[in-house]
Amino acid sequence: MTNFLELIARPDPSTVNVGLSSPKLATLRRILGEPRASYTGECQPVTGSFKKRIVTKSVGPFRCTGVDVAVEALKDIFASVKREVPDLHAIVGTAGMTCARKVKIRQPNGTIKLGRNPSNHSWGLAVDIKLNGALDLQGDKKCFRGLLILSRYFNAAGWFWGVSFPTEDAMHFEVAESTLRRWKKDGKL
Ligand SMILES: [Zn+2]
């Protein structure tokens, strides 16, 4: 059986997120507005006008809280994973989706530094994935093999994988810039 928690070197950036980019703050703000008036390092409720679009639902392996279209997209992603890699689907969990806070970046010495900008989790369009209850350590330039497999499904659905961030964040998946624009164009947002 595949060891989905095996730590492997992070994949070459040219082999993942092909044609996809992380959504720009300006695009998130233009399409959904500002999640809150101010942010800290802790999760706080979304108070912006798009909060009416935030739902809590099962996406298959777990329940999560996010923007309705993104939650529906996760359902489709995990339905495919369940069909094709059921052993992996069985160990997928989450560390959360919507969380209005500043970006947190793990430093080489293990401390967490707060970024200046709000995290994309503030818009309810990003999800952190656990495998068998374990979180992939941010910034070690390695990732669980199972996350690499999952990334194929996320990328195919137009989600960006955080493994390619300057500080590797392999647990993190978010709706890509082009997907966000397409959803807007199609009237889904
Ligand atoms: Zn994240």
Side-chain angles (χ1 to χ4, degrees):
M1 201 179 114
T2 309
N3 178 7
F4 296 117
L5 276 95
E6 181 192 351
L7 271 181
I8 58 173
R10 81 164 155 187
D12 187 277
S14 68
T15 64
V16 293
N17 296 320
V18 176
L20 300 172
S21 60
S22 181
K24 296 188 190 89
L25 279 177
T27 309
L28 289 162
R29 286 178 165 139
R30 180 168 55 78
I31 293 178
L32 287 171
E34 193 69 37
R36 292 182 56 79
S38 66
Y39 304 87
T40 66
E42 305 303 317
C43 283
Q44 291 183 280
V46 170
T47 54
S49 60
F50 73 92
K51 79 173 183 190
K52 60 183 184 294
R53 297 292 302 268
I54 292 182
V55 297
T56 300
K57 269 188 182 176
S58 170
V59 293
F62 54 80
R63 283 170 71 79
C64 61
T65 299
V67 171
D68 49 12
V69 268
V71 170
E72 285 306 310
L74 286 176
K75 239 190 231 180
D76 292 343
I77 289 169
F78 288 118
S80 297
V81 175
K82 189 175 187 182
R83 265 194 313 274
E84 296 174 8
V85 204
D87 292 350
L88 175 57
H89 182 271
I91 63 164
V92 170
T94 187
M97 190 172 182
T98 303
C99 170
R101 61 161 168 80
K102 288 187 176 177
V103 171
K104 285 185 193 174
I105 303 161
R106 192 177 177 277
Q107 303 300 296
N109 68 5
T111 59
I112 303 290
K113 193 177 159 214
L114 286 187
R116 202 166 52 87
N117 290 321
S119 157
N120 286 354
H121 285 283
S122 307
W123 281 269
L125 295 169
V127 65
D128 290 332
I129 298 292
K130 281 181 173 179
L131 294 183
N132 227 354
L135 267 186
D136 190 286
L137 186 66
Q138 192 190 12
D140 65 354
K141 299 184 181 158
K142 293 188 179 119
C143 67
F144 293 146
R145 182 178 293 284
L147 292 174
L148 173 61
I149 298 169
L150 279 182
S151 77
R152 304 307 187 195
Y153 293 85
F154 275 96
N155 280 175
W159 290 55
F160 185 88
W161 184 24
V163 79
S164 308
F165 284 155
T167 301
E168 164 273 315
D169 193 6
M171 73 171 99
H172 178 99
F173 294 91
E174 60 187 17
V175 177
E177 170 87 10
S178 52
T179 307
L180 199 52
R181 287 170 182 262
R182 192 178 71 243
W183 286 353
K184 173 70 181 166
K185 191 164 155 267
D186 293 349
K188 292 181 179 174
L189 279 175

